[in-house]
Structure formats: C-alpha cells, structure tokens
C-alpha cells in the first residue's frame, strides 16, 4: 500500500512539474517573436504571415494533435513532457528511449520503464543541446565540414541507419505481430508515390492504429 | 535598434530560452535518478543508460546541426539554433521557414535584411509548432490515466498494446525506407540506397546482438545501436557513390 502511494506521488509530481515547465516554456517561446517586434520596433508582414500560416498550420497542427496521442503513451509521462519541448521525437528521442528500456530490460508500462525512458530522453536532450551549442560557437570552421558533399549521404541516410538497427531488435522480439503492419506499410509506401519523407510523419499514427487493431485480433484469437 | 539576423540581442534571447529548456531536462534527469535510487534500481543500469543515450545521440545531433547550417544562410544563426533546439525537427522547420520566405517573396539562400521579414518568419515558425507545447501539459496526464485504466482491466493486453504502438511506428519507417524503390523501373537505382543502408545497419545490429551474448563481449550491448547507426551512416557514403 505504502509502495503504491509513493509510486502515485512520483508520477503525480512528474505531471505537476511537467505542466509548470511546459506552460513556462510555452510562455517564453511566444515571448521571443514578441520581443523581436518590440526591440526592432517592427510588426510582422501580416499578409505574408497569413499566407505562411495557412501553408503550415492546418497540416502541422493536425499532425501535432495526432502525434500527442501516438507518442505520449510510448514516451511515458516524464519523457513526453521533455520530448514535446525539445522536439526530434521520432528521429531521436523515442528510438533512444526504446533502446534504453530494451537494454535495461524494463517494460515501458512499469515505473522502472518510466524512469529509464525519462533518463534516456533527458540525457539525449542535454547532449543534443550541448552539441548544437558547440556547433553554433564553431560554425565558421565547421560549416565546410558539415556541408561537405562527401558526408552529405551519411546525414541523408540517418533514418534508414537508425531504424535498421532498431527494427531488427523489435521485429525479432515480436515476429508474429510484425508481419501484417510491416507488409502493409511496405505495400503502401511502394505503391503510393505520395507516401515519402514528407508524409511518413502522418503514416506513423496510421500504422500504429492498424497495428493495434491487428494485435487485438491476434490477442483475441490467442495467436500472441 | 539596427537589425541584423545575427544581432547579439537575438543570441542573448535564444540563449536564455535554451538554458530554460536545458534546465527542464536537468531537473527531470535528477528527479528520475533520485526515484531510481529510492526504488533500489541498480545504479550500474542507470549509469549505462546515461552513457549509451549520450553516445547514441551524437550522430543524430550532428545531423540536426547540419539543419542549423542550412537554415542559417537566410535566417542567420540564432533563429535556426533556437528552432532546432526547442521543439523543432529539421523537416518541419525547413518547410515552415521556406513557406514563410516564399510568402515574403524571398528565397532560402538570401540573407534576410529587413526586420519585418525576419519577425514574420519567426512568428510562422513559432506558431506552427505551438500545438504540442499547448496540448502536452493538458493531455499527458489524461492519456496516461487512460493507459493505467487499460492496464487494470487487462495487464497482458496493455503490454501487447504498448508493443503494437512501437511496432506500428517501426513499420511506418520501414515502409518509408522502401518508398523510392520503384524508381528502378525508370533506370534510377537511388531508391535502393536507403534500403541497403537499412539492411547494413540491421545486419550490424544482429551480429552485435549475437556477440554481446558471449562472455567478454557483454559490453557491446550498451553500444550496439550507436554502432549500427554509425556503420549504416558511414556505409551510406560508398553505397550512394555506387548507386547515386
């Protein structure tokens, strides 16, 4: 009983602090362009602002909304509060958390999983921020290296290199569950030209929902 | 005040925001480590999580830095530094900046000189990503409570549900890796570059996984994913020059 109460209090404090940090950072993020306007004594070009927002808002707000429902259960509470502030979720934070939980041998559904996921995502956020700070300080000597045509293919293939490693671990552990979603996504991405790097973000929630339905059917039939 | 995309005052503001975000990560890290200690989790496990997360992050973080450099041509360094350190991801920020610059009749390769254009781009990039920041504090507890209820009803299904979510995400990216293979019908084999990189990385991971089960190689388990990532990225260079 005592154990349960402590667990609840940890998670509750994560939610409380996550909200405080989240709303505070939301405040200073909005303050940034506001202060730019005040300091340089200028207003945005409202026509261009409207056009720009029409071009990005419907898509990014819709995707953002779906992403919350998709990624929050996977990231855990602490991981979610951090990841939705620091960004780069599918290409960095979530793979990092998954790998950490897998290596630590903890389930994402337990408090140990919550702790490991939070630690991995926090460390990843700190290291990313520090690397970008170092990079920004040394941007002049680094630019030719980072823009080098020799290295360009390596950076371009980050996602395949990341998901090759991650995929082999998860597919080998859930072979039965993997067959239908993997086959379906392969067919869809190969057959439909509109599915590409720009639309993979939309396909993640679609694939997650399909996999859950398949998993439910397999679970009910006693296959998994 | 006279405007420049790299004005020191913009750097100061960006640095303050990034410090706040860094503060949040440090706060949650310390809190989680304390809780791990309270629960009697092995500290060696925590240490190994920290080290491998840090090593794993290096290559993706450098690729984010490439994005900062790409956007810095038109926006200076400070704004891309902020946008890619906080919330942003390269794919989103590049598109948001491009759309805003297009609306202003500007390109991504010309440095902005008018403060009006700069603040317009800053507003488009900021408002575009706000949804996650607004809704995460509101919805996270509710979503997590929903998952807890699911767990109380059927623990086994809750675990399968979680695995299904992970598998769904991985399947989508697997599909993405193969999205351009049909270009081969037109004689263009570049669509196989990500496929070969994917399999190279998968093979390295599988070999490391088998090796790490043997005595004397257990340490490999901690570094398997970063190694497979780096080898995959490194092999992308000769694969691209072969098929590109």
């Amino acid at each position: 009983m005592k154990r349960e109460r402590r667990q609840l209090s940890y998670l509750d404090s994560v939610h409380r602090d996550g909200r405080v940090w989240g709303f505070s950072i939301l405040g200073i993020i909005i303050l940034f362009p506001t202060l730019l306007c005040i300091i340089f004594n200028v207003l945005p070009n409202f026509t261009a602002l409207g056009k720009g927002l029409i071009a990005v808002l419907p898509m990014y707000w819709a995707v953002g909304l779906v992403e919350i429902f998709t990624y929050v259960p996977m990231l855990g509470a602490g991981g979610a509060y951090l990841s939705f502030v620091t960004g780069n979720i599918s290409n960095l934070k979530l793979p990092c958390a998954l790998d950490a939980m897998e290596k630590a041998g903890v389930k994402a559904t337990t408090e140990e999983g919550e702790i490991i996921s939070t630690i991995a995502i926090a460390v990843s956020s700190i290291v990313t921020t520090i690397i970008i700070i170092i990079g920004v300080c040394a941007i002049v000597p680094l630019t030719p290296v980072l823009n080098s045509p020799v290295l360009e293919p390596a950076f371009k293939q980050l996602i395949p290199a990341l998901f090759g490693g991650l995929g082999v671990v998860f597919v080998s552990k859930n072979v039965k569950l993997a067959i239908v979603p993997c086959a379906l996504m392969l067919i869809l991405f190969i057959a439909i030209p509109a599915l590409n790097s720009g639309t993979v973000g939309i396909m993640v929630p679609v694939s997650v929902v399909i996999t859950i339905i398949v998993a439910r059917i397999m679970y009910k039939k006693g296959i998994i | 005040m006279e405007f420049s995309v790299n004005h020191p005052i913009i750097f100061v503001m960006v640095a303050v925001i990034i410090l706040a975000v860094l503060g949040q990560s440090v706060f949650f890290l310390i809190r989680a480590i304390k809780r791990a200690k309270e629960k009697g989790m092995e500290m060696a496990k925590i240490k190994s999580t920290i080290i491998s997360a840090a090593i794993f992050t290096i290559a993706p973080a450098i690729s984010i830095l490439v994005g900062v450099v790409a956007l810095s041509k038109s926006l200076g360094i400070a704004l891309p530094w902020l946008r890619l350190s906080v919330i942003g991801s390269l794919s989103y920020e590049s598109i948001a900046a491009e759309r805003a610059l297009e609306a202003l009749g500007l390109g991504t390769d010309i440095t902005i000189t008018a403060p009006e254009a700069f603040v317009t781009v800053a507003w488009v990039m900021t408002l575009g990503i706000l949804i996650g920041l607004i809704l995460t504090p509101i919805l996270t507890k509710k979503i997590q409570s929903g998952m807890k209820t699911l767990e109380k009803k059927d623990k086994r299904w809750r675990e399968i549900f979680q695995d299904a979510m992970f598998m769904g995400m991985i399947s989508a990216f697997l599909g993405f890796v193969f999205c351009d293979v049909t270009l081969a019908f037109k004689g263009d084999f570049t669509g196989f570059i990500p496929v070969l990189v994917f399999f190279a990385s998968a093979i390295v991971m599988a070999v490391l996984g088998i090796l790490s089960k043997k005595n004397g190689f257990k340490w490999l388990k901690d570094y398997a994913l970063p190694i497979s990532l780096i080898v995959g990225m490194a092999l992308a260079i000769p694969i691209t020059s072969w098929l590109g």
Side-chain angles (χ1 to χ4, degrees):
Chain A
M1 190 64 201
K2 193 184 170 192
R3 212 178 144 84
E4 248 181 50
R5 207 164 43 236
R6 284 173 69 87
Q7 180 177 333
L8 194 70
S9 104
Y10 170 70
L11 270 176
D12 275 348
S13 69
V14 167
H15 284 302
R16 184 199 59 209
D17 297 332
R19 283 174 174 172
V20 171
W21 277 100
F23 283 125
S24 308
I25 289 172
L26 172 67
I28 55 171
I29 293 280
I30 297 174
L31 199 60
F32 172 72
T34 312
L35 281 177
L36 282 179
C37 291
I38 296 168
I39 290 169
F40 295 109
N41 193 25
V42 67
L43 282 173
N45 176 331
F46 286 103
T47 314
L49 178 65
K51 277 187 190 169
L53 288 179
I54 288 169
V56 298
L57 273 197
M59 165 91 161
Y60 284 108
W61 279 50
V63 171
L65 180 66
V66 179
E67 275 186 344
I68 290 175
F69 287 97
T70 313
Y71 290 133
V72 166
M74 291 199 244
L75 292 161
Y81 288 117
L82 286 176
S83 299
F84 278 93
V85 166
T86 54
N88 291 294
I89 298 176
S90 63
N91 61 340
L92 176 55
K93 306 291 158 50
L94 193 49
C96 187
L98 287 184
D99 184 49
M101 287 188 284
E102 159 69 23
K103 277 187 301 215
V106 293
K107 287 258 173 204
T109 51
T110 61
E111 197 187 347
E112 283 80 1
E114 163 77 34
I115 291 168
I116 293 288
S117 166
T118 304
I119 291 174
I121 291 170
V123 168
S124 182
S125 302
I126 294 166
V127 171
T128 307
T129 310
I130 292 171
I131 287 178
I132 299 179
I133 291 172
I134 295 170
V136 164
C137 292
I139 200 150
V140 176
L142 278 181
T143 298
V145 181
L146 295 172
N147 277 342
S148 134
V150 178
L151 289 179
E152 195 197 341
F155 293 124
K156 215 174 155 189
Q157 300 303 333
L158 174 79
I159 293 285
L162 176 55
F163 280 90
L166 204 60
V168 82
V169 176
F170 280 86
V171 172
S172 64
K173 286 185 82 180
N174 303 280
V175 178
K176 286 181 191 166
L177 180 60
I179 296 169
V180 175
C182 286
L184 187 67
M185 284 301 125
L186 276 175
I187 293 167
L188 288 177
F189 271 88
I190 293 171
I192 304 171
L195 297 181
N196 50 40
S197 61
T199 45
V200 66
I202 308 163
M203 288 308 284
V204 171
V206 174
S207 177
V208 165
V209 171
I210 292 170
T211 314
I212 290 170
I213 295 168
V214 170
R216 185 70 188 171
I217 296 167
M218 291 172 94
Y219 176 59
K220 283 285 174 194
K221 288 189 183 282
I223 302 169
I224 50 173
Chain B
M1 197 177 288
E2 199 177 324
F3 170 77
S4 134
V5 286
N6 288 322
H7 197 290
I9 192 79
I10 307 177
F11 275 94
V12 172
M13 286 194 285
V14 168
V16 170
I17 300 173
I18 285 171
L19 273 179
V21 172
L22 209 51
Q24 184 198 22
S25 299
V26 172
F27 176 87
F28 276 92
L29 175 63
I30 293 171
R31 167 72 69 79
I33 292 173
K34 270 188 189 167
R35 183 63 186 153
K37 279 183 186 163
E38 278 172 18
K39 281 189 76 84
M41 288 172 74
E42 281 174 57
M43 278 304 113
K45 207 179 256 186
I46 302 297
K47 203 175 158 190
S48 126
T49 299
I50 292 172
I51 294 170
S52 58
I55 292 172
F56 168 72
T57 302
I58 295 171
I62 294 173
S63 82
I64 296 169
L65 192 57
V66 174
V68 176
V69 172
L71 288 175
S72 69
K73 282 174 201 155
S74 57
L75 304 176
I77 297 164
L79 182 58
W81 176 29
L82 172 69
R83 293 293 347 111
L84 288 169
S85 297
V86 185
I87 320 171
S89 71
L90 181 56
S91 53
Y92 165 72
E93 298 302 340
S94 312
I95 293 168
E98 272 171 33
R99 295 290 174 272
L101 288 166
E102 265 172 29
L104 287 158
L106 300 169
T108 48
D109 48 357
I110 307 158
T111 305
I112 290 179
T113 50
E116 187 192 37
F118 187 76
V119 297
T120 305
V121 174
W123 272 112
V124 172
M125 291 173 95
T126 304
L127 294 175
I129 44 78
L130 279 191
I131 187 80
L133 263 186
I134 297 169
L135 292 181
T136 308
I138 298 170
L139 293 177
T140 299
K141 194 174 181 181
K142 288 191 178 79
I143 296 171
Q144 294 290 350
S145 307
M147 301 306 280
K148 279 273 167 225
T149 312
L150 197 67
E151 191 173 329
K152 276 179 197 153
K153 279 186 188 163
D154 186 345
K155 196 166 186 285
R156 172 78 186 126
W157 166 238
R158 166 73 179 94
E159 283 174 8
I160 295 171
F161 186 91
Q162 192 78 31
D163 285 343
M165 293 196 91
F166 294 150
M167 192 50 70
M169 181 185 77
I170 289 167
S171 306
F173 280 98
L174 172 76
F176 158 65
V177 165
F178 283 77
C179 71
D180 287 330
V181 290
T182 49
L183 291 176
F185 294 122
K186 294 173 188 163
D188 177 357
F189 291 95
T190 52
F192 281 98
I193 297 169
V195 176
L196 291 182
V197 171
F198 177 88
F199 281 114
S201 170
I203 291 166
V204 172
M205 186 71 180
V207 171
L208 293 176
I210 295 164
L211 269 179
S212 69
K213 289 194 173 79
K214 294 188 189 300
N215 280 338
F217 290 99
K218 290 209 185 319
W219 58 274
L220 269 177
K221 199 182 170 195
D222 281 348
Y223 306 102
L225 191 64
I227 294 172
S228 71
L229 172 67
I230 301 285
V231 173
M233 287 173 75
L235 286 175
I237 298 169
I239 292 171
T240 305
S241 66
W242 175 41
L243 295 174

